Amino acid sequence: MKTSSKILCVVGARPNFMKIAPIMAEFAKSPLHAKLLHTGQHYNESMNHQFFVDLGIPAPDINLEVGSGSHAVQTAEIMKRFEPVLDQEKPAAVLVVGDVNSTIACALVASKKGVPVIHVEAGLRSFDRGMPEEINRVLTDQISDILFTTERIARDNLLREGIKDERIHFVGNVMIDTLHHNLARAVPAQETLASQKSYAALTLHRPSNVDDRESLTSLLQTIRQISTQIPIAFPLHPRTRSRMEEYGLNEMIESPDIMVLPPLGYLQMLGLMKDAKFFLTDSGGIQEETTALGVPCITLRENTERQITVDEGTNTIVGQDRKRILSAVKEVIETGGKRGRIPEFWDGHASQRIVSILEDWLHRS
Ligand code: UD1
């Protein structure tokens, strides 16, 4: 048995919060001692604090307060501030989730110090190295000691990259644990939208969609066109909001059929997803959540790292091309869209499997 049973869990950005919530809850029931460290990558009330409230995540024990910056600055700043914390805390392992800059930054510091790294949501691949998250995924997996996967394809991806099979554990999807735990508490969309009408929902924040003026303009034109067929609810990410302002595109979404909203908390977003006719998005998490809810998802990206949502779920990949987007929307409006089925182990018990494997591991080592 290791001398310490402390696991230092890391979060940084919005999509991490729904992944860590059920893991922290499960640790609280186990003999293991989990501490929560927030890097401060996301910091706004709406991008950060609201999720801790909605999901009942304990307040972080440590906050590195790094804030925004270029990829290099943000990653380096997290690493610099994380190192002394690691020296002081001396955990048995560091647990990271997902694929954001906080994930790779803390994994890298831990692995260089010989502290075992646990990666939750390992092995997902878009095979698109132009995506910063893909680089974070590949590198984090390479230096992880225990890799927890959400779908079977992830193991094949990892084996191909030389990761040893005994390190890989297929446990299912912790984000879907959170969805199961909170579905009954979801805020009805009618309340968020103050409207009874049926609607589609939209989120956009990938640099490849919103940082380029031409791509963003073309996407917003397409959205405007879709809104003539069905009203669109559009929670606006801070990155997208600032690009629209910079490029003078705000007018393009000024229409009674486009309901622009601030970034939503988890329970509001869940309600919006659950009741939508379909979802247009470039988010990773929403591709999975819509599959779990049986809501058609049209993904505004050229690829996905979450292949199971296409193979078994409700997801259709259409990229930025207007014709492809409009034809997918037409199909969903006319036929109701892909029905899909729930992927294996997306059953609300992934975090139980994770903690039970970690208890065994700590006991043996
Ligand atoms: C990050 C993640 C991405 C994830 C997304 C979810 C990386 C590489 N990217 O992208 O994988 O899908 O979060 O939101 O880690 N900002 C605020 N308030 C905040 C946070 C950011 O206003 O609380 C602004 C910043 O000024 C920044 C912009 O939003 O300019 C983008 O934030 P950043 O953390 O750089 O990347 P995201 O696009 O959020």
Side-chain angles (χ1 to χ4, degrees), residues 15 41-44 47 68 71 100-101 133 205 237-239:
Q41 179 175 343
H42 283 178
Y43 44 84
N44 276 12
M47 299 288 287
S68 299
H71 285 271
V100 301
N101 288 341
E133 293 81 359
H205 77 285
H237 189 280
R239 173 188 284 277

Side-chain angles (χ1 to χ4, degrees), residues 19-280:
K19 293 170 194 165
I20 210 69
I23 299 175
M24 292 304 289
E26 212 52 49
F27 273 134
K29 295 185 224 156
S30 88
L32 305 183
H33 171 45
K35 261 194 159 179
L36 186 60
L37 177 138
H38 195 321
T39 63
Q41 179 175 343
H42 283 178
Y43 44 84
N44 276 12
E45 171 74 21
S46 60
M47 299 288 287
N48 176 43
H49 182 67
Q50 187 61 44
F51 287 82
F52 283 75
V53 175
D54 281 356
L55 300 175
I57 307 170
D61 299 288
I62 302 152
N63 195 324
L64 303 181
E65 297 182 345
V66 292
S68 299
S70 70
H71 285 271
V73 166
Q74 191 171 59
T75 310
E77 203 55 49
I78 296 168
M79 291 178 70
K80 265 169 66 184
R81 297 186 194 191
F82 186 56
E83 182 171 35
V85 173
L86 201 55
D87 287 341
Q88 198 182 337
E89 292 292 331
K90 299 185 178 45
V94 167
L95 182 147
V96 295
V97 297
D99 56 15
V100 301
N101 288 341
S102 302
T103 311
I104 177 63
C106 295
L108 191 51
V109 173
S111 99
K112 290 271 183 85
K113 288 198 163 274
V115 178
V117 176
I118 303 160
H119 187 203
V120 176
E121 202 190 79
L124 296 182
R125 296 289 180 270
S126 65
F127 303 102
D128 174 3
R129 294 276 171 107
M131 217 181 156
E133 293 81 359
E134 181 75 354
I135 297 171
N136 294 343
R137 289 181 201 116
V138 171
L139 298 182
T140 303
D141 287 339
Q142 278 297 324
I143 54 177
S144 290
D145 299 85
I146 302 181
L147 299 94
F148 291 117
T149 62
T150 54
E151 53 180 274
R152 288 194 185 272
I153 304 162
R155 167 178 256 115
D156 303 337
N157 293 336
L158 292 169
L159 293 177
R160 220 180 303 114
E161 291 172 13
I163 310 285
K164 290 203 181 92
D165 199 14
E166 63 263 26
R167 295 186 172 192
I168 307 169
H169 303 268
F170 173 43
V171 291
N173 195 327
V174 288
M175 233 180 36
I176 306 307
D177 292 4
T178 296
L179 186 140
H180 276 244
H181 297 162
N182 291 287
L183 203 50
R185 300 169 60 223
V187 176
Q190 297 171 350
E191 231 172 82
T192 304
L193 301 176
S195 158
Q196 309 276 346
K197 282 193 207 156
S198 87
Y199 65 92
L202 163 74
T203 67
L204 272 183
H205 77 285
R206 292 268 157 236
S208 55
N209 279 335
V210 307
D211 283 1
D212 177 65
R213 181 197 294 262
E214 234 175 87
S215 305
L216 183 57
T217 308
S218 161
L219 277 170
L220 293 178
Q221 275 165 353
T222 310
I223 297 307
R224 181 87 184 215
Q225 200 171 333
I226 297 168
S227 73
T228 60
Q229 300 167 62
I230 183 164
I232 296 179
F234 185 17
L236 201 49
H237 189 280
R239 173 188 284 277
T240 313
R241 180 177 289 282
S242 68
R243 293 297 176 270
M244 286 176 56
E245 264 157 33
E246 188 183 333
Y247 302 149
L249 303 178
N250 285 349
E251 268 180 23
M252 294 186 69
I253 55 167
E254 276 169 19
S255 151
D257 294 323
I258 302 180
M259 297 167 272
V260 178
L261 304 163
L264 300 179
Y266 184 79
L267 298 174
Q268 277 190 307
M269 192 64 172
L270 188 55
L272 193 73
M273 253 188 292
K274 184 167 79 66
D275 297 334
K277 283 283 167 223
F278 59 95
F279 217 110
L280 292 149

